[in-house]
Amino acid sequence: MTVIDEYIRSHPRSKQLHERALQHFAAKGVTHVGRMWEPFGPYMTHARGSRIWDVDGHEYIEFRNGHGALILGHCHPAVVKAIQEQAAKGTLYSASHQLEIEWAELIKSMVPNAERVEFFACGQEANMMGIRIARAFTGRTAVLRFEENFHGWADELVAPHAPGAVDTKTRIIPPHDLKVLEDELATRQFAAVLTEAGGAHMAGQVPWQPDFIRALGPMAGEHGTVWLLDEVVTGFRDGPGGWAGLMGLKPDLTSLGKCVAGGMPAGALTGRAEVMGMLTPGFPPARWIRHSGTWNAMPIVCAAGVAACRLLKDGSVQRRVNETGAYMRRAGNEALRKCRYNWRLYGRSIIHVYFGPVDFEVDTAGNPPTMDSRKLLAGSEEKHKLGMYLLQYGIHSQQGRMFILSAAHTEEDIDRTVQALVRAIGDAMAEGAIGELPGCC
Ligand SMILES: Cc1ncc(COP(=O)(O)O)c(C=O)c1O
């Protein structure tokens, strides 16, 4: 019996629920494309700290952490308390309240260039508003984006010809070519240029070259284009000032989500007062952007956001998570090297899996050298299979592609994970689920 057969046999309740779900959810029974597993994923019942449990009674070390939102781990006591207390006082007032001010003050104290703050129900809404504000501010309509960078699923944020999406004058260019960037910006048609902080896919599966990103802001400014830095994943994760804080960047606008609300649904847009002024009534009325939204800054979300941001303000949580990431890279890569497996781990507090052949070392900041994105993103099918093997060995990863760390992870969790990873690669190769890679290291 293969490991996958054994997974199916040992997850009968998940299998049953998956079969029920297929009757309801068109996307192969799941409610988010990132939750699709082949043949099916585990159905979860509860989670705490660095652990999550499924309906079949299995315990997993948790490396999905709310799509990256839970840097504090599951059910941090301060966040749970804030939510419980606020639930008893009212979830939504549809009126102004003090918590939204406290939350905005905390955000402003951490995020570079955050002179004004606006709240949303999720991260992509912040990006959509960022684009609208940039259009009103510049009087232009086109949007410049980069290959592989993900910002959400709305029309301007997906691939221009994605099924069902309206062509929105979005232009997508390759990263790391300053000449191409300058030529595009010089057309002076772009209201906004969007970049995913850290690089493409969850904090840098394809990392940015620092020189390129440092040149981008001033270049965009010269050509009258607003720079919107998407820190939905990296905000409060890479440090209190997000990735911009690490790199010393000053974007015109910054979108936030995930960690900002401690695991509740929210987004925020911050930026220079002049640009955010498009939301201010009394501006030439034709340019005033009216922002509604039933769930904007709802008290129960603000309560969680305030509790989380207080914990994230002094940077100790992020230091801890980054140290855990460095430990996982070191221990993981040592074990992979020892077994002569052509896989590697890289990244900061989100550890990405590289599927060989290996001809590089990750640098001290956790990045591989500049590499073609196709190389870094290769092997997604193999990684998915690896993810299934990892499930059977008690590890809940992002389909074998990445491990999202939280402050709740211990070195022991990481040691167990590295053991499982090496075992999973070995077993998957032995069973023929993934092929051997040429050129061992
Ligand atoms: C970089 C980035 N931007 C934006 C989003 C969209 O955020 P949300 O799902 O909260 O709308 C995501 C979601 O994963 C993301 O990774």
Side-chain angles (χ1 to χ4, degrees):
M1 191 182 272
T2 67
V3 173
I4 302 301
D5 291 337
E6 182 56 28
Y7 170 85
I8 295 168
R9 195 200 58 78
S10 59
H11 291 74
R13 292 206 174 94
S14 283
K15 186 165 184 281
Q16 253 174 19
L17 287 173
H18 172 64
E19 278 156 12
R20 253 172 85 188
L22 286 171
Q23 308 305 310
H24 306 299
F25 308 123
K28 279 192 159 181
V30 298
T31 48
H32 180 308
V33 66
R35 297 174 197 160
M36 252 180 220
W37 288 92
E38 192 59 45
F40 60 87
Y43 278 72
M44 300 305 185
T45 54
H46 60 294
R48 179 164 302 109
S50 67
R51 295 293 196 278
I52 191 160
W53 288 267
D54 73 12
V55 287
D56 292 291
H58 304 292
E59 177 181 302
Y60 304 88
I61 304 179
E62 160 69 326
F63 289 105
R64 292 183 67 104
N65 280 304
H67 299 285
L70 302 174
I71 192 170
L72 298 166
H74 285 278
C75 307
H76 189 286
V79 178
V80 171
K81 183 167 178 277
I83 292 171
Q84 284 175 337
E85 285 179 4
Q86 189 58 43
K89 292 194 236 167
T91 54
L92 181 59
Y93 302 146
S94 47
S96 300
H97 56 93
Q98 189 169 322
L99 281 169
E100 65 193 13
I101 300 172
E102 285 176 23
W103 196 18
E105 285 168 351
L106 279 160
I107 292 169
K108 282 177 74 170
S109 72
M110 291 186 265
V111 177
N113 261 8
E115 293 171 352
R116 292 288 180 277
V117 182
E118 192 76 4
F119 289 118
F120 305 89
C122 64
Q124 82 154 352
E125 277 193 21
N127 282 332
M128 288 155 67
M129 180 57 87
I131 289 171
R132 182 165 298 170
I133 285 177
R135 284 174 169 158
F137 184 71
T138 60
R140 305 173 183 174
T141 50
V143 174
L144 191 58
R145 288 185 14 222
F146 289 92
E147 281 170 7
E148 297 298 343
N149 279 231
F150 177 79
H151 303 286
W153 53 263
D155 284 355
E156 280 98 344
L157 307 176
V158 290
H161 305 298
V166 173
D167 187 355
T168 55
K169 294 192 169 184
T170 303
R171 180 147 175 73
I172 300 194
I173 58 173
H176 301 148
D177 190 331
L178 279 173
K179 169 86 175 68
V180 169
L181 175 65
E182 171 115 60
D183 287 351
E184 291 294 345
L185 289 170
T187 62
R188 301 187 76 83
Q189 61 171 319
F190 293 104
V193 55
L194 268 69
T195 53
E196 195 179 333
H201 303 296
M202 299 295 282
Q205 192 170 12
V206 185
W208 282 118
Q209 283 172 17
D211 289 351
F212 179 83
I213 208 77
R214 288 201 172 104
L216 182 145
M219 200 185 272
E222 254 170 53
H223 294 290
T225 297
V226 169
W227 179 22
L228 167 51
L229 181 65
D230 181 338
E231 294 245 36
V232 169
V233 174
T234 46
F236 310 112
R237 173 170 279 280
D238 274 338
W243 191 67
L246 279 191
M247 303 290 291
L249 305 172
K250 299 257 183 249
D252 299 301
L253 297 173
T254 299
S255 56
L256 300 160
K258 305 207 190 244
C259 297
V260 74
M264 294 293 270
L269 185 73
T270 69
R272 294 199 288 116
E274 186 193 10
V275 183
M276 295 288 280
M278 297 299 110
L279 292 160
T280 309
F283 212 82
R287 292 171 77 191
W288 172 33
I289 295 169
R290 292 162 167 82
H291 180 212
S292 59
T294 302
W295 310 109
N296 292 353
M298 61 188 300
I300 195 162
V301 172
C302 292
V306 167
C309 286
R310 278 188 188 143
L311 293 163
L312 297 173
K313 191 170 155 62
D314 75 0
S316 54
V317 166
Q318 295 91 335
R319 259 194 306 282
R320 179 179 159 74
V321 184
N322 282 322
E323 279 164 18
T324 309
Y327 179 74
M328 183 163 182
R329 287 197 314 265
R330 263 197 321 275
N333 287 335
E334 210 176 289
L336 291 166
R337 224 177 278 123
K338 217 158 142 188
C339 293
R340 300 179 64 77
Y341 290 152
N342 242 328
W343 299 66
R344 285 295 179 271
L345 302 179
Y346 65 97
R348 296 179 301 281
S349 72
I350 297 182
I351 298 294
H352 305 284
V353 176
Y354 173 78
F355 171 77
V358 175
D359 51 9
F360 66 88
E361 289 296 324
V362 296
D363 68 20
T364 49
N367 294 318
T370 304
M371 281 166 78
D372 185 335
S373 62
R374 280 167 304 187
K375 251 182 123 177
L376 291 166
L377 298 170
S380 66
E381 240 179 74
E382 286 80 0
K383 290 176 194 170
H384 187 109
K385 284 181 188 153
L386 179 72
M388 286 303 300
Y389 278 71
L390 285 169
L391 280 175
Q392 189 59 3
Y393 298 147
I395 308 295
H396 190 223
S397 72
Q398 188 126 332
Q399 273 87 348
R401 282 183 296 120
M402 60 187 85
F403 300 85
I404 300 174
L405 302 179
S406 81
H409 287 112
T410 62
E411 284 197 1
E412 197 205 329
D413 289 336
I414 302 304
D415 290 341
R416 279 180 53 187
T417 304
V418 167
Q419 278 168 22
L421 178 66
V422 166
R423 186 175 167 204
I425 295 175
D427 287 352
M429 278 184 186
E431 289 177 359
I434 52 178
E436 290 247 15
L437 287 165
C440 262
C441 36

